[in-house]
Amino acid sequence: MSFRTTRTTSAVDYVEDVSPGSGALPPRAWYASSDATSYSLNGSWRFRLSATADAQDDSFAGEGYDCASWAEVTVPGHWVLQGDGAFGAPIYTNVLYPFPVDPPHVPTENPTGDHLRVFDLPSDWPSDGGAVLRFDGVESCARVWLNGTDIGEFKGSRLAHEFAVGHLLKPSGNVLAVRVHQWSAGSYLEDQDQWWLPGIFRDVTLLHRPAGGAGDFFVHASYDHTGGEGTLRVDSDVDGRVLVPALDIDVATGEAVTVAVEPWSAESPRLYDGELVTEGERVPLRIGFRTVALEDGLIKVNGKAILFKGVNRHEWHPERGRTLDLSTMREDVLLMKRHNINAVRTSHYPPHPAFLDLCDEYGLWVIDECDLETHGFGEQQWRDNPVDDDRWTPALLDRAARMVERDKNHPSIVFWSLGNEAGTGRGLTAMAEWIHGRDSSRLVHYEGDWSCRDTDVYSRMYASHEEAEQIGKDLDGGPHKRRELPFIQCEYAHAMGNGPGGLADYQELFETHDRLQGGFVWEWIDHGVAHPELGYAYGGDFGEELHDGNFVCDGLVFPDRTPSPGLLEFKKVIEPVRIQGDGADGTVRVTNAYDFADLSALAFEWAYQVDGETVEAGALSVPPLAPGESAEVKLPQAPAPARGGSETAWTVRALLAADTAWAPKGHIVAWGQVPVTARPVPSVSPTGRPALDGDRITLGPASFDARTGALRTIGGIAVENPRLDVWRAPTDNDDGTEWKSGINYSALWRALGLHRMRHRLDSVEAGEDALTVRTRVAPAAQEVGLGTVYRWTSDGERLRLTVSVSPEGEWKVPLPRLGVRLGLTGADRVTWFGGGPGEAYPDTRLASMVGRWESTVDGLQTPYVRPQENGARADVRWVELGGLRIEGDPEFFFGARRWTTEQLDAATHRTDLTAGETVWVHLDHGVHGVGTQSCGPGPLPRYHLLAEPAEFSFVFSVSDSPTQ
Ligand code: GAL
């Protein structure tokens, strides 16, 4: 006897079917009814995991099935993040599909989660009308049964799917069965750079549909800036009336009405509460009047060109993955608003709909992006790309429609985006045509086709400053259509690890050239997965066979949403008020950089600082400038400096004058500093003489090893000898390869051996008034080196070290850092006068405010998910720690940590770092820029630290501040 099983006869054929599915209702607007009942099916569900799609039959879906032996999972949720590893693990890949590319087939090993929920209808569930079962997000493919009836199957993970189920419901004992497959044909369309996380990860809701209830509706609310009037028309499948009490509007659906209104913008998100009233239902409306247009080659809203100061937002929570609750969504929006961000691209799929409500309410411009990416086909020169294959077009159109129909009533959305990194093809054109036809009130975005065939904007990712400038000047050429279009960077400034560098330089270009309408930093949040041993896990930590490491941790906020220094820098770079001046003439120049708002919501304050400490402060009166306007504002009479020879400066801040929905009164929106008198350079008259005392040389407060010239103590405080240091634990950007030049700094540095420099002692010379130690610092196997002379002098109390560095040989690479490293024991508290409070590097230093700051050594560390160079404070005049005061001539970069650079370099997770006894202190004359080449361009040449002759000094003395 012989037999044969073929996959074509399988009951799970739908998994590999390119069609979007069957049984679901047509997509419609997502809304919460005022009066129709709904019932959340979120909560604990019974769960059974199978290794393949067809391991189990569908008997579990029938009534009376005994699931007592099954596990439980929380819905919404991803099963791989539940069950303590019993349900598989997350997989992280950026571009690569984690399965063989053979569309539409998926592996036989296809984790399949059967979900069961038995429920009674609430006692007040109306007996009339129908009901709809709504899934807001299931990855990647689901088949659904209610009370044993197969009601359909669907794909499109981050899109809503509804099923009519009224006829199947009973008062009690309803059995809802959902079979979810991790892999499906749909997975080919969902190759976004993120964790692959199967599950019912968004809400499941049962909605009562009353007779005569609303169906789908489309709120059209435009604004005519020339006359200050808004026109409202609500098209509705079910006739009814539209009420907007504040505007005295009471019109029939389908009828347009024009009245004087306040427009909606991201800066002033004026929403009018309204209602759609049909025979059987009342639906709340939140109406924002605004008109989006492409005019004069610019993106205009309400007649004005806008500038996107945006971020790319993936949905992420370190414990729950892409399952976000409302408070987490609100936290994202509040954090964005508080950091001057005015726009979000929902990379790379429509978010939970509640997030868009928040964008309407608090004010953010939104690019709503479709759930589509086929990046992995790029690995095979885009052969078989589904977006260029007619068989897939229905699925693409389904996705476009599900996005547009669900989200069309949000005033915050100004662009529809076709998807991300899906190559080019007819399917995209079909999507764009459909969207343009359905909604002419918004523009269409897609980055992957530089001909701009289907789009209303020329969009790119990670274009260099140089290229952006060319485009800004219209010198980039390109097809005719593209030349007529405005330009945005839908992604730029890759916020992976320490960085992104160069934000300020980009912003300057965006503000100089009209055609450059801003951009969206990549990205909002690090997708670290909370992990008991590793702190936060990233790619590879779950044993994936293919993965992209910590490339998934590239956000402006850490996984727990703590702002990273990159976010603070971005806030400063994009601040909507510019405060500048040179202090000499007693004025500051204040410029309104908003697109719509005047400055009346802000209050201004001045502070006068002597040596970084505020000695006087007061209110500053600034006229309510219109957007784009500037004024020279007179500062008060400068107080006489408290003591002679001090450094003095003004700091002017713009704060919220009253509480807003997103921040309290007093929240700082913008600031500027204006120096008045410069710092006196620390001087030490060399009166002390080096004296030999046994195996020691003493000089002023210091003692040295007589044989090596190494510093041992200052004023009795043990010091691990300061010596030249050029190495830093490479940042994610140092490890990246610059797009244009192909340069990878950390590879060059390691090849040269900068991480293993040797110090050769040439001489120890005790002279009349100085101890001079001559050395040569160089790596094995290379002829290059750094002649390094340490010259110590003292006036009896203070000790000055002057380091002179002379590069020898041909240095072809910039240095990671140039400074000295020393060790101290017993140091904890740190106070300094200089840039702070956070870290700063040459191309990330705008947010660094000069003042007096304090911290602990641990507080100086920036907890990047993958440990790397961090924590430098810029422009430091002096620092006190471990009983010492160290002054710089000139100002320096300062950092301190309880582990060495070598340990930092070797660590892969924060938990690898253990504190030692010694605090390693870095006093750097220079550091190399950070750049953004973990994806994109490197640091601009002006931020390179070239190996050049250099001389710099530090003055050490015993401080009176406590060390602990
Ligand atoms: C882009 C892509 C993003 C992300 C980023 C790098 O190419 O659109 O999804 O992968 O690069 O982090």
Side-chain angles (χ1 to χ4, degrees), residues 221 282 305 310 357 372 379 402 417 419 448 469 514 571 576 726 860 871 920:
R282 303 178 86 90
D357 285 336
L372 173 63
E379 300 292 298
R402 287 191 184 279
S417 176
E469 183 167 23
D514 290 347
K571 174 185 178 182
V726 296
L860 292 173
W920 294 101

Side-chain angles (χ1 to χ4, degrees), residues 789-809:
V789 179
Y790 306 88
R791 187 165 190 276
W792 298 94
T793 55
S794 174
D795 59 6
E797 250 180 59
R798 306 193 316 151
L799 180 71
R800 182 183 181 101
L801 164 65
T802 298
V803 184
S804 311
V805 181
S806 323
E808 296 166 9

Side-chain angles (χ1 to χ4, degrees), residues 232-234 240-244 248-257:
L232 176 68
R233 193 188 77 234
V234 178
R241 297 206 63 83
V242 177
L243 315 177
V244 188
D248 277 337
I249 291 177
D250 179 351
V251 288
T253 51
E255 219 172 85
V257 53

Side-chain angles (χ1 to χ4, degrees), residues 94 192-193 314 345 348 373 375 420-421 461-462 491 494 522-523 551 554 739 935:
N94 167 11
Q192 293 94 341
D193 173 7
H314 266 290
R345 171 175 176 235
H348 300 300
E373 173 160 342
H375 205 171
N420 185 60
E421 295 182 322
M461 44 176 80
Y462 311 104
E491 292 177 30
H494 195 247
W522 186 267
E523 67 174 305
F551 205 63
D554 52 1
W739 278 17
C935 185

